Amino acid sequence: LWNPFFNLQLPEHMPIRIATFFKGDKVIWTIILLLAVFSVFAVYSSTNMLAYTQQSGRTEYYLLKHGVFIIGGLAITWVFSHFNYANFGRIARPLLYITIPLLLFTLLFGSDVNEARRWITIPLISITFQSSDLAKLALMLYVARQLATLQDQPINLRTLGWPVLAPVILTCGLIAPANLSTALLLFGSVAVLLFVGRLELKAIGQLAGAGILLFGFIVLLGLALPETTRVSVWSNRITSFLEDSEELYQVQQAKIAIANGGLLGEGPGNSYQRNVLPSGYSDYIYAIFIEEYGLMGGLFLLILYLVFFWRTIRIVTLCDRAFGSLLVMGMSLLIVLQALINMAVAVDLLPVTGVTLPFMSMGGTSLLFFSMGAGMILSVSRVVEKRSSAQDNVILPNANPMPA
């Protein structure tokens, strides 16, 4: 059953070394492990007040809960890194067919948290599941697969057709009413992936126009039926961002946290703003991280995500299969663009969006799906490194040995 997916070929009695255990790009693996360690410390520190208000002061509750998700995420990344990445393309279409009804169900009957229906509560075990996290993964996987099948011909809106355009518009349209920032992020990521996949610039402009029309329709729907969308929330956030005199409370507290951090920070666990900053363990964890580890810590975290993106670009250029390259690019865009947007919001360069920091923020479903995306990247990297190693070991039949 596992043979089509796994490719473990370790010699018998060979000790399992770290380099053998972690397949794929070792730099990416190192970054993921570093982010996991930083995440445990940051979440444990930032959930201090939450533990006292929700768990009667049991500060270890969220540490253990998040630790379980971190370990589970690393395990998922390891397992996915050993999959044959071609099989991801085979599940792209069925996964998308599952995702779209889930998004519709979430929009109509989802759990209302913070005036937004983004979650589905799984009965019996009372676990909330954010369907948009699955949608991001499924849509990028599907678009990468469809683009890969069109690489032998000019790619425009006619050749792309409704089999690609309809899922993109429908998925982003179903996410937007409750989570506009995620919908815009996903739409932008797909547009960049289409550009990398050789879609004509004129076609990308036309697709962007369709997205603007869709957004306009959602705004008009929200004005006519305020309970269907969050137009008033979007308007308040944009207004407060443009007018410093009316800053949102969390923006003010995030700025104080960053100012407190200085160059080297207050030290691990010494944040004060964690007690007053809303969502300091999720949306604004970067501000808490800077307060505790300073400007240098914040820059180091930013560099980790940039190096992650650089290594994925390397994989894209070395991969000789269109689907592998597009898969890596799509998953990398989802991770890195969201990270940059989250950081920009924390330092008040963008309006409040509500997106989490990948691999750092507390949140089970987002962490697990980002781990899947990272595993897919490492799966392609494993094949690329294996092929490069095989080419390096080829001995030309008529080659003379080099003189000593």
Side-chain angles (χ1 to χ4, degrees):
L1 176 64
W2 294 100
N3 285 338
F5 295 91
F6 284 91
N7 187 24
L8 292 174
Q9 298 178 351
L10 295 179
E12 293 184 3
H13 311 299
M14 174 182 177
I16 299 179
R17 300 177 180 177
I18 294 179
T20 304
F21 185 79
F22 293 104
K23 295 287 187 178
D25 192 295
K26 303 304 182 293
V27 175
I28 291 180
W29 264 118
T30 301
I31 292 172
I32 292 174
L33 293 174
L34 284 173
L35 291 175
V37 173
F38 291 151
S39 177
V40 170
F41 287 125
V43 168
Y44 180 57
S45 175
S46 58
T47 53
N48 182 66
M49 181 58 66
L50 186 66
Y52 278 96
T53 58
Q54 301 293 330
Q55 298 297 327
S56 302
R58 292 184 296 146
T59 55
E60 73 282 357
Y61 173 82
Y62 291 105
L63 172 65
L64 295 175
K65 181 180 178 181
H66 186 64
V68 169
F69 280 112
I70 286 289
I71 294 172
L74 292 175
I76 288 175
T77 300
W78 183 86
V79 170
F80 272 56
S81 70
H82 289 83
F83 282 0
N84 181 348
Y85 73 84
N87 289 281
F88 297 132
R90 297 188 181 100
I91 66 171
R93 190 185 298 272
L95 193 61
L96 188 66
Y97 290 162
I98 294 172
T99 298
I100 291 177
L102 275 178
L103 289 174
L104 183 60
F105 179 85
T106 304
L107 187 61
L108 297 177
F109 309 106
S111 301
D112 196 341
V113 180
N114 294 330
E115 300 181 354
R117 290 181 177 176
R118 303 176 185 176
W119 291 265
I120 297 175
T121 302
I122 301 176
L124 300 180
I125 55 178
S126 299
I127 294 179
T128 56
F129 169 78
Q130 195 161 351
S131 56
S132 61
D133 290 326
L134 174 61
K136 291 188 293 186
L137 192 78
L139 184 62
M140 295 299 278
L141 192 59
Y142 176 80
V143 172
R145 176 187 178 276
Q146 293 298 108
L147 279 175
T149 62
L150 299 173
Q151 290 302 302
D152 59 346
Q153 56 184 299
I155 302 179
N156 49 46
L157 291 184
R158 182 180 59 82
T159 56
L160 212 59
W162 286 111
V164 174
L165 300 179
V168 172
I169 295 173
L170 186 58
T171 301
C172 294
L174 289 174
I175 295 174
N179 197 347
L180 178 63
S181 54
T182 297
L184 293 176
L185 172 63
L186 180 57
F187 190 86
S189 300
V190 170
V192 175
L193 182 61
L194 290 172
F195 174 75
V196 174
R198 299 191 305 109
L199 179 64
E200 298 173 353
L201 285 175
K202 178 181 178 182
I204 293 178
Q206 293 171 341
L207 186 62
I212 294 174
L213 291 176
L214 176 63
F215 174 69
F217 171 77
I218 293 173
V219 170
L220 292 176
L221 180 64
L223 295 176
L225 302 170
E227 67 278 3
T228 59
T229 64
R230 309 178 70 207
V231 173
S232 60
V233 176
W234 307 337
S235 176
N236 290 338
R237 288 178 175 179
I238 294 175
T239 301
S240 64
F241 175 74
L242 297 176
E243 300 176 6
D244 292 339
S245 59
E246 298 181 7
E247 284 184 347
L248 296 175
Y249 176 77
Q250 62 263 43
V251 176
Q252 295 175 342
Q253 301 306 316
K255 286 183 175 180
I256 295 173
I258 294 171
N260 290 342
L263 184 63
L264 299 177
E266 299 289 339
N270 292 327
S271 167
Y272 172 76
Q273 293 303 111
R274 64 182 178 177
N275 298 320
V276 294
L277 177 60
S279 301
Y281 47 84
S282 56
D283 301 353
Y284 279 91
I285 197 169
Y286 188 59
I288 300 298
F289 189 85
I290 293 178
E291 184 179 13
E292 294 189 347
Y293 298 93
L295 176 62
M296 300 306 295
L299 287 176
F300 181 71
L301 200 61
L302 173 62
I303 291 172
L304 286 182
Y305 286 104
L306 295 179
V307 172
F308 180 95
F309 188 65
W310 168 64
R311 296 299 292 187
T312 59
I313 294 296
R314 174 180 174 273
I315 299 170
V316 170
T317 57
L318 292 177
C319 185
D320 60 355
R321 295 290 186 271
F323 175 66
S325 297
L326 293 169
L327 174 63
V328 171
M329 178 56 66
M331 296 304 149
S332 176
L333 287 171
L334 284 181
I335 294 171
V336 177
L337 284 182
Q338 179 160 329
L340 295 179
I341 290 174
N342 176 278
M343 293 177 176
V345 170
V347 299
D348 199 28
L349 292 178
L350 287 176
V352 178
T353 60
V355 297
T356 58
L357 186 59
F359 302 114
M360 284 290 294
S361 298
M362 185 176 73
T365 56
S366 62
L367 176 60
L368 296 182
F369 283 114
F370 280 129
S371 299
M372 292 179 189
M376 293 179 185
I377 293 172
L378 290 166
S379 174
V380 179
S381 172
R382 176 177 59 84
V383 175
V384 169
E385 290 187 358
K386 185 178 179 180
R387 185 176 294 112
S388 299
S389 177
Q391 292 175 351
D392 291 341
N393 293 329
V394 170
I395 301 177
L396 298 178
N398 296 323
N400 294 322
M402 293 183 64

